[in-house]
Amino acid sequence: MELGVLVYRLYRALTYGVSPFIHLHMRWRRLRGLEHFRRWHERFGHPSAVRPPGSLVWFHAVSLGEGMAAVPVIRRCNEMKPEMTILMTTTTLSAFEVIRKQLPAGVLHQFAPLDTPVAVDRFLGYWKPNAIIIMENELWPNLIMSAALLRIPLALLNARMSTKSFKRWSSPLFLPLASLLLSKFSLIAPLSSLQGIHFQLLQAPPFVINFSGDLKYVVNKFHVSSGTSESIRDLKAQLSEMKVWIASSLHKGEEEVILGVHNLLLQSHPDSVVIIVPRHPHHGQQIAQKLRKDGQSVALRSRNEKLTSQKTNIYVVDTLGELREFYRVAPIAVIGGSFLPWLTGHNVSEAAAAGCAVITGCHVGHFSHMVEAMQQANPLSITQVSSKLELKEAIDMLLSNPEILEARQRACKEVYESLSSCIISNIWNLLNLHIFRGR
């Protein structure tokens, strides 16, 4: 523990020393549109809202996936403790744009402070949280140590650590620091037994590790929809006589796999249409631009373009926050982030919740536990492929056999319902026992 304290003191001194350069870097990010133009000062702990009197719990998530996983827990806390103020922080702009529409009325949002001593101390000094709930894998030393010094209970929900992060924290230099930081938590709820083992190997106290299930299963149960938009209903009408499949959460390079498969499928299914949903909207615009340059007809979502011509069989979604609606348009969902060796998968439960037949590549990394759990529950629930040819054959079989497609859709939906039941209740019970008791 003494070595961990020494490493932390070095980290604190380093982050204090580089603070002026971090400030310049954040100004540069703001000019590039990577930080909120007006609220970027929140990243240095400066508040832009008034703290209400009474108890306050702070939920923190970095990006969209973690933030959406936190929303059902926030809703339950809001129901069970209506007198308690909830503060939600995120880091990325994309998370802010989508999550703010999902939060219950009265929940405050700020951008998260950088992990520098001044920003963290300023943030904690103003908001004075009675508890801090961190999503997934955010082990920021200054935040954790400052909270512990102020005796603020800490929880880590849906706790996970990538193989790369685990190796880094397990190294002789960082293991003492990891052990010190994890000792400050009152609750660590890993998203799988493997992740629980990771935290035990990093010397987290065994009594704070409690299992509740993966929160990403329940995002869809608590998602607030503004209703199916008129443009989505129009798209459904345009596709009513077509064979539709969707390829979602695509990273750069994966569109080549998907478009290659689409061109092969057109030979046997000339009435097929693929909906392409890249991970980032600007990537969608790049895909559409390249396809048009190559002489192909493509419809772009942001321009509300229609599939008016029979030659238009590619629909590119370059917007945020609409993926769930598009899963209801297509009966077959191919989940990206899984077709190139350096990728680590994406949440397959969103498509399962919508009743899609789900196909994914073999590079599922962070979501391997989810894929394995679904396959163990019912092998028909999710299909994994390891090549472009296997992907083409899997989609071809579903497009050619309505009975098989219906069976896969039903299996996927049933497994999702089974795996997602009781997770929020489990999480609430753990929070009430370890974090909120007596508060």
Side-chain angles (χ1 to χ4, degrees):
M1 196 66 75
E2 291 81 2
L3 183 55
V5 172
L6 176 61
V7 175
Y8 168 64
R9 285 175 179 166
L10 288 172
Y11 173 86
R12 186 173 178 87
L14 178 64
T15 50
Y16 189 84
V18 301
S19 292
F21 301 102
I22 293 175
H23 197 280
L24 289 173
H25 177 66
M26 295 302 289
R27 282 184 174 274
W28 176 76
R29 285 178 56 85
R30 178 192 179 221
L31 291 173
R32 291 191 62 204
L34 300 175
E35 299 290 337
H36 197 286
F37 194 77
R38 292 192 311 276
R39 293 176 52 185
W40 70 291
H41 61 277
E42 293 173 22
R43 304 283 275 128
F44 297 96
H46 294 288
S48 64
V50 176
R51 187 205 190 280
S55 60
L56 180 144
V57 60
W58 170 21
F59 279 81
H60 171 60
V62 174
S63 57
L64 184 57
E66 295 94 326
M68 291 303 291
V71 169
V73 186
I74 290 172
R75 290 214 185 100
R76 180 59 61 91
C77 289
N78 206 37
E79 291 169 7
M80 303 301 290
K81 287 188 171 287
E83 75 285 355
M84 182 173 65
T85 299
I86 297 175
L87 170 68
M88 172 79 173
T89 63
T90 55
T91 300
T92 65
L93 270 175
S94 60
F96 163 70
E97 293 293 341
V98 176
I99 291 170
R100 64 175 177 168
K101 301 172 185 175
Q102 300 295 318
L103 293 172
V107 174
L108 303 173
H109 177 273
Q110 296 281 280
F111 285 98
L114 295 159
D115 198 50
T116 62
V118 174
V120 167
D121 291 346
R122 183 183 289 133
F123 187 93
L124 293 177
Y126 179 81
W127 290 104
K128 295 180 173 58
N130 298 88
I132 300 174
I133 299 171
I134 301 171
M135 300 303 298
E136 298 207 359
N137 58 355
E138 290 299 291
L139 295 181
W140 291 109
N142 285 322
L143 168 58
I144 292 168
M145 295 301 290
S146 295
L149 190 65
L150 295 169
R151 299 185 180 278
I152 303 171
L154 287 155
L156 188 63
L157 299 189
N158 236 37
R160 68 170 178 85
M161 198 164 281
S162 67
T163 303
K164 185 178 177 181
S165 294
F166 177 68
K167 286 179 179 177
R168 183 173 64 249
W169 282 110
S170 302
S171 67
L173 176 62
F174 290 112
L175 181 58
L177 178 60
S179 176
L180 174 67
L181 298 178
L182 293 173
S183 73
K184 306 303 180 185
F185 282 87
S186 301
L187 171 65
I188 297 174
L191 57 75
S192 69
S193 55
L194 175 62
Q195 292 296 336
I197 292 169
H198 280 170
F199 284 99
Q200 285 183 324
L201 291 173
L202 292 175
Q203 302 176 5
F207 58 86
V208 306
I209 298 176
N210 293 270
F211 295 92
S212 60
D214 188 347
L215 278 167
K216 288 190 175 175
Y217 279 120
V218 298
V219 168
N220 309 282
K221 284 179 174 288
F222 294 84
H223 178 75
V224 174
S225 176
S226 56
T228 303
S229 68
E230 186 177 345
S231 59
I232 294 288
R233 288 194 293 270
D234 287 347
L235 180 62
K236 279 186 176 181
Q238 294 170 49
L239 295 170
S240 59
E241 302 298 322
M242 310 292 281
K243 294 179 178 178
V244 188
W245 60 287
I246 184 171
S248 64
S249 301
L250 299 185
H251 290 244
K252 280 201 171 183
E254 290 190 300
E255 73 275 10
E256 296 176 14
V257 176
I258 298 303
L259 291 169
V261 168
H262 175 59
N263 288 331
L264 291 172
L265 287 169
L266 285 174
Q267 297 173 19
S268 51
H269 302 280
D271 56 345
S272 64
V273 171
V274 62
I275 300 173
I276 293 177
V277 189
R279 181 81 170 144
H280 300 291
H282 69 271
H283 184 205
Q285 292 157 16
Q286 291 170 349
I287 292 170
Q289 188 177 15
K290 185 176 185 303
L291 286 168
R292 285 170 175 158
K293 190 176 179 182
D294 294 341
Q296 294 197 58
S297 180
V298 56
L300 199 60
R301 171 63 177 165
S302 63
R303 298 180 186 172
N304 203 24
E305 294 173 343
K306 300 185 185 299
L307 295 162
T308 50
S309 166
Q310 287 188 340
K311 292 181 179 179
T312 307
N313 47 46
I314 301 170
Y315 191 91
V316 177
V317 179
D318 58 336
T319 55
L320 281 172
E322 294 189 298
L323 183 54
R324 286 174 184 80
E325 293 298 327
F326 280 100
Y327 279 145
R328 293 183 176 90
V329 173
I332 303 166
V334 177
I335 313 301
S338 62
F339 293 99
L340 298 174
W342 54 87
L343 300 177
T344 54
H346 282 295
N347 189 359
V348 298
S349 73
E350 292 178 312
C356 297
V358 178
I359 303 171
T360 184
C362 57
H363 305 289
V364 290
H366 299 328
F367 294 90
S368 58
H369 68 283
M370 187 179 281
V371 172
E372 289 167 9
M374 291 183 71
Q375 288 180 330
Q376 286 173 6
N378 187 336
L380 295 179
S381 65
I382 188 165
T383 302
Q384 262 191 298
V385 297
S386 56
S387 67
K388 185 191 291 187
L389 180 60
E390 283 187 16
L391 177 59
K392 181 261 179 186
E393 290 174 347
I395 299 172
D396 191 9
M397 180 182 69
L398 296 176
L399 293 178
S400 303
N401 300 276
E403 298 83 4
I404 295 176
L405 173 58
E406 187 179 341
R408 294 288 175 89
Q409 289 179 274
R410 186 169 57 250
C412 212
K413 181 76 170 178
E414 288 173 355
V415 167
Y416 166 77
E417 294 292 346
S418 173
L419 292 175
S420 63
S421 62
C422 300
I423 291 176
I424 288 297
S425 295
N426 293 340
I427 284 285
W428 169 252
N429 290 336
L430 288 173
L431 287 174
N432 205 30
L433 176 64
H434 295 275
I435 303 297
F436 297 141
R437 184 173 55 182
R439 293 182 182 276

